[in-house]
Amino acid sequence: MERRRARLVIKGIVQGVGFRPFVYGLAARHGLGGFVRNDGRGVTVEVEGAAGEVEAFCRAVEKGPPMAAVFEVEVTLLEPAGYGDFTIRESRGGPDPFVPVPPELATCEECLRELFDPRDRRYRYPFINCTDCGPRFTIVVDVPYDRALTTMADFEMCPLCRAEYEDPLDRRFHAQPNACPRCGPRLRLVEPGGGERDVEDPAAEAARLVRDGAIAAVKGLGGYHLCCNALDEEAVSRLRSLKDREEKPFAVMAAGVEQARGFCAVGPEEERLLTGPLRPIVLLERAGRRPLAPAVAPGQRRHGVMLPYTPLHHLLLRDAAAPLVMTSANRACEPIAYRDDEAMERLAPMVDFLLVHNRRIETRTDDSVAARLGGKTVPLRRSRGYVPMPLRMPLRFERAVLACGGDLKNTFCLGRDGLAFLSHHIGDLEDLATLRSFEEGIEHFRRLFRIEPEVAAFDLHPRYLSTRYALALDGVEKAGVQHHHGHIASCMADNMLDGEVIGVAFDGTGYGPDGTVWGGEALVASYDGFERLARLDHVALAGGDRAVVEPWRTALAWLHKVWGEEAQELEIDLVEYVGGRRWRNTVRMISGGVNSPLTSSAGRLFDAAAALAGVGREVRYEGQAAMEFEALADRNERGRYGFDMEARDGLKVVILDGMWREMVNDIRASAPVPLVSARFHNTVAAVVAAMAESGRRETGLDRVCLSGGVFQNGLLVERAAALLERKGLRVFTHGRVPPNDGGLCLGQAAVAARRRPRRPSPPSPS
């Protein structure tokens, strides 16, 4: 019998997901000797035995256990060493440890069964976990992923937990957060003043209080949530006031799919998302016979719903017997609280009590958000559960890249080899606390994945804090990436595309090299560069950034552009709402070019249309007017308004005068807002198709990438994709990263990867 020995180096998500016991069992089934261990490259295995069994092992190991993701297996044949038994060896780092860390995984069915089994030693233990579930990224301090390098190093395992941890056939073998009530983290109910309530079961008491109208701060995996009864209008309204979040929707946690169906429509794909191991917040259409409190999501047709993903959540939801608001614990614009001292300082004045524990959170991580858009699942916020799962790229990073993203919905990205490591959601870089979170996050990722950037990619906007951070870095090459080029490159990388595409980038604002504010663009783009093909017609952004929170300003600017001085005589509500003096002052501002930059922004176009129709003339959060306008649209209406395209300065420009005239006529004729909204959406979809079709005629390309925050609008994506496909164009939308600025850094990284290193300047003659 021929005897063979092979060494396998397995790379990917292979630590913290039960890979070593999987390998141990596989080797036993094939009668092989050798060893397996974690190291700085991933998992290293040596197997020895009959040649046929070694070959079969090498084929089977690529599948891995359910939660693993194998990227690459390097196999080297060696001379037999005489291995008898198969063993699991102690982990070791190595000179260049580069191992993807697994994300958080929702409580598995086995742990859930034990959690509610009175005979089990972990009955109602809020920190139950195993190799298939529990905290990962949020507790990791460094790699390799071993307990000593996590925040669970603070807890020494009792003999029973240690026996499970060391048994290769136990599902808790090397489950780094393994613990029990005897040796693990402890839950406490704390008063806002800091005193601890003496209760036998803090989770049960917290659930009772919340059910009866209290507001709680609950420490979770990646930070604190603010929590209240989602059926209690008074409690939800009080939470809005305390959180300073007057209208933006709250996320809701339901005990299970059936409870969620009481107030939302849950289709098969939505159910798969809700019940899967990643557990994002999923946007669901309102339905059912038990509506939530109106204050949960005012003006919206959808609720953001998630199911419990920690044992503590399961306890709270079962004991409360009601869906619960679970919203990030912060005031408007602040990052989520995750340290206990800041929770006491920032949250105590907002809540009736705090439900806390003594397991440290290493990395602040918000909940992820996903939706079904155009028949496809799209992340709108990629964070807990997805991060730090790396993304395969259609190109290789010959030099390590740091891409710093934008200033809104910020994420950053580190690229190495053929992988991109996107960060968790950082948020809007508007204050010192969020900027510090951004900087700390970059340092953590650099340390965790052993990536020292050689190139820093950034947005061209000179006032972005992310741009200033990149430009201040020493010893790295700088790579500026135009905002909308970054969006299209992001969609390309998301879909593993290379070469040239037609890109339609619709968003709020982006820095334009021509001195205008871009946001409604068609480009021919590749990672190497881009050329602008078409844009929406310019309008003045009256008041600059104030137009974002006062959409009536952009509506007024469009009416003045189309009707001139006669616009103020139009017999529509908007004219009366603005008022004569305010109207005249704004027109003078526009006419004089005072704080009124020109923009082609599609985001501001949606705001203006919503304001004209009486929806969101002043808003409390970004995108509110457009979201509420979409929510009202009649899905059965297929009519649209008119528009034209004309050549101007080497570009095709979409002229929207006809749309505005017809829309005003509908409003003056008292057309219902759902009809006006639907016709507007259908018009914008037709504009997208016309821009792409014009690009095909000019370039011969038939691949169209749709990116930018406006393409979070499900109705627009659905209608635009259908029109494009009918024209024979191939449509690509996002599926792995958000279409909004949360995915921008991926495109920046891809563009930077293609740039050739700058050659040093020759020495000047002496």
Side-chain angles (χ1 to χ4, degrees):
M1 179 185 69
E2 182 186 0
R3 191 169 178 85
R4 186 170 295 174
R5 173 180 164 220
R7 176 181 297 147
L8 297 86
V9 177
I10 305 162
K11 300 178 182 179
I13 305 297
V14 292
Q15 294 190 11
V17 291
F19 211 97
R20 287 176 297 175
F22 165 79
V23 168
Y24 183 92
L26 188 63
R29 287 195 294 276
H30 288 281
L32 302 174
F35 69 86
V36 58
R37 69 165 172 244
N38 285 344
D39 60 29
R41 295 177 295 176
V43 170
T44 295
V45 183
E46 287 194 16
V47 287
E48 183 176 336
E53 297 297 337
V54 169
E55 290 173 4
F57 175 92
C58 291
R59 290 192 298 270
V61 80
E62 293 188 13
K63 295 180 181 178
M67 296 302 170
V70 176
F71 297 158
E72 183 181 352
V73 179
E74 298 175 1
V75 180
T76 305
L77 295 180
L78 305 168
E79 288 296 319
Y83 288 128
D85 297 334
F86 191 89
T87 60
I88 296 176
R89 292 187 179 178
E90 187 174 341
S91 302
R92 69 182 187 187
D96 183 28
F98 177 59
V99 184
V101 174
E104 323 307 312
L105 299 171
T107 309
C108 71
E109 289 301 317
E110 280 296 301
C111 284
L112 202 56
R113 180 185 58 77
E114 293 173 352
L115 179 68
F116 291 109
D117 182 355
R119 299 164 298 178
D120 194 277
R121 72 187 186 94
R122 293 186 174 90
Y123 174 60
R124 292 187 63 86
Y125 182 56
F127 307 98
I128 190 171
N129 69 88
C130 69
T131 308
D132 294 332
C133 66
R136 300 290 192 271
F137 172 62
T138 55
I139 63 170
V140 171
V141 177
D142 207 340
V143 292
Y145 174 58
D146 281 331
R147 190 178 181 106
L149 295 176
T150 73
T151 60
M152 284 299 295
D154 298 341
F155 304 93
E156 183 177 351
M157 282 181 278
C158 67
L160 288 176
C161 286
R162 173 62 64 182
E164 295 168 334
Y165 182 85
E166 294 176 349
D167 182 356
L169 300 180
D170 193 286
R171 82 173 200 281
R172 291 189 168 93
F173 174 71
H174 278 236
Q176 306 307 337
N178 189 33
C180 73
R182 183 177 173 184
C183 63
R186 187 172 74 88
L187 197 65
R188 297 182 299 132
L189 202 64
V190 177
E191 300 283 358
E196 183 174 342
R197 290 195 188 184
D198 185 15
V199 294
E200 182 178 349
D201 189 332
E205 179 65 7
R208 183 189 67 78
L209 292 169
V210 167
R211 184 182 62 239
D212 293 345
I215 294 173
V218 178
K219 187 177 180 181
L221 281 180
Y224 280 77
H225 284 112
L226 295 177
C227 171
C228 71
N229 186 340
L231 303 176
D232 187 333
E233 175 71 3
E234 182 180 346
V236 178
S237 297
R238 185 161 67 97
L239 177 56
R240 283 206 173 278
S241 176
L242 292 166
K243 187 176 162 69
D244 190 22
R245 181 167 164 170
E246 294 186 26
E247 297 177 17
K248 193 173 183 179
F250 283 147
V252 172
M253 184 174 282
V257 172
E258 289 311 308
Q259 188 179 78
R261 285 199 172 104
F263 52 88
C264 283
V266 183
E269 284 303 310
E270 288 86 354
E271 181 172 352
R272 183 187 63 79
L273 269 174
L274 286 169
T275 59
L278 305 186
R279 299 287 168 101
I281 298 167
V282 183
L283 300 188
L284 303 173
E285 297 288 326
R286 291 188 181 198
R289 290 176 290 184
R290 195 185 188 194
L292 301 178
V296 168
Q300 301 298 315
R301 66 182 293 147
R302 296 188 294 185
H303 283 300
V305 181
M306 58 181 160
L307 299 191
Y309 55 86
T310 71
L312 177 56
H313 291 147
H314 282 283
L315 293 170
L316 289 174
L317 268 293
R318 178 171 290 199
D319 294 347
L324 303 178
V325 166
M326 283 281 184
T327 185
S328 300
N330 55 6
R331 291 190 187 275
C333 301
E334 293 178 343
I336 183 174
Y338 76 112
R339 293 195 175 106
D340 297 337
D341 55 350
E342 70 172 346
M344 288 303 300
E345 179 183 345
R346 290 167 50 193
L347 305 182
M350 303 166 61
V351 300
D352 299 308
F353 66 91
L354 298 91
L355 190 60
V356 305
H357 59 75
N358 57 338
R359 185 178 66 205
R360 288 185 297 114
I361 298 172
E362 177 68 16
T363 303
R364 174 185 2 232
T365 309
D366 279 278
D367 292 314
S368 296
V369 181
R372 296 285 294 173
L373 301 178
K376 185 176 182 180
T377 298
V378 180
L380 303 182
R381 185 168 75 194
R382 187 180 181 275
S383 204
R384 177 200 44 82
Y386 294 82
V387 174
M389 181 78 77
L391 299 175
R392 294 273 198 149
M393 293 289 281
L395 44 69
R396 286 188 64 81
F397 294 98
E398 302 301 335
R399 298 178 296 164
V401 170
L402 164 65
C404 294
D407 264 22
L408 297 180
K409 300 180 175 64
N410 177 269
T411 60
F412 61 83
C413 173
L414 285 166
R416 170 174 167 167
D417 300 332
L419 299 176
F421 292 82
L422 263 70
S423 77
H424 46 298
H425 171 76
I426 304 295
D428 298 347
L429 301 183
E430 295 180 341
D431 57 36
L432 183 61
T434 313
L435 179 62
R436 188 180 299 117
S437 179
F438 167 77
E439 294 170 344
E440 290 172 353
I442 290 174
E443 291 308 308
H444 186 53
F445 267 56
R446 287 172 63 172
R447 182 175 71 250
L448 209 57
F449 303 119
R450 303 303 194 262
I451 299 176
E452 285 304 317
E454 299 166 81
V455 182
F458 55 90
D459 193 276
L460 293 180
H461 198 302
R463 291 197 301 273
Y464 278 4
L465 295 181
S466 54
T467 295
R468 293 180 180 181
Y469 174 88
L471 292 175
L473 292 174
D474 292 327
V476 298
E477 187 174 311
K478 310 302 194 299
V481 181
Q482 197 278 328
H483 191 85
H484 300 93
H485 183 205
H487 271 306
I488 300 306
S490 173
C491 188
M492 291 175 63
D494 195 337
N495 288 279
M496 298 295 286
L497 302 179
D498 208 339
E500 287 190 328
V501 302
I502 297 166
V504 180
F506 275 16
D507 66 357
T509 57
Y511 186 81
D514 62 353
T516 65
V517 180
W518 289 16
E521 320 303 320
L523 316 174
V524 56
S526 68
Y527 301 125
D528 297 295
F530 74 97
E531 181 183 347
R532 199 181 189 194
L533 298 173
R535 63 167 171 82
L536 299 182
D537 199 4
H538 283 146
V539 71
L541 199 60
D545 289 343
R546 285 188 66 186
V548 177
V549 294
E550 297 178 348
W552 64 262
R553 292 174 173 273
T554 313
L556 183 157
W558 274 111
L559 296 182
H560 181 72
K561 179 181 178 69
V562 176
W563 276 271
E565 296 299 328
E566 297 177 6
Q568 195 175 354
E569 307 305 319
L570 292 171
E571 296 178 355
I572 54 176
D573 287 346
L574 182 72
V575 175
E576 182 178 349
Y577 174 84
V578 176
R581 183 177 179 182
R582 188 162 61 165
W583 187 288
R584 289 190 296 273
N585 288 342
T586 307
V587 167
R588 278 197 293 271
M589 180 189 298
I590 293 169
S591 301
V594 178
N595 195 23
S596 298
L598 293 177
T599 183
S600 56
S601 167
R604 302 292 78 81
L605 179 72
F606 273 78
D607 286 351
L612 183 62
V615 179
R617 287 169 177 165
E618 297 184 28
V619 299
R620 301 287 184 178
Y621 59 91
E622 189 226 354
Q624 179 182 354
M627 290 169 62
E628 293 181 0
F629 199 39
E630 180 203 356
L632 292 168
D634 180 353
R635 264 53 181 177
N636 296 316
E637 173 62 35
R638 297 291 166 172
R640 69 169 178 85
Y641 301 122
F643 65 91
D644 297 297
M645 291 185 73
E646 65 177 43
R648 192 186 297 171
D649 299 327
L651 294 176
K652 292 293 178 63
V653 178
V654 178
I655 308 301
L656 295 164
D657 296 27
M659 182 192 77
W660 292 113
R661 291 185 183 277
E662 293 174 28
M663 191 171 171
V664 165
N665 286 340
D666 270 353
I667 290 170
R668 292 175 67 182
S670 300
V673 173
L675 181 140
V676 173
S677 175
R679 289 180 177 175
F680 170 78
H681 279 81
N682 294 340
T683 305
V684 179
V687 166
V688 171
M691 294 172 94
E693 176 65 16
S694 174
R696 175 167 62 178
R697 286 195 299 269
E698 190 169 330
T699 66
L701 300 170
D702 69 346
R703 298 186 299 176
V704 180
C705 288
L706 306 180
S707 190
V710 170
F711 288 111
Q712 295 175 123
N713 184 313
L715 180 58
L716 175 64
V717 171
E718 174 192 317
R719 298 285 161 90
L723 289 173
L724 290 165
E725 288 166 356
R726 282 205 291 270
K727 291 177 178 290
L729 292 159
R730 291 184 287 164
V731 184
F732 297 90
T733 56
H734 286 270
R736 297 192 294 165
V737 301
N740 58 47
D741 283 8
L744 186 65
C745 62
L746 182 68
Q748 293 174 343
V751 171
R754 273 289 165 81
R755 293 204 179 158
R756 298 290 175 262
R758 293 198 195 105
R759 293 181 180 177
S761 302
S764 57
S766 55

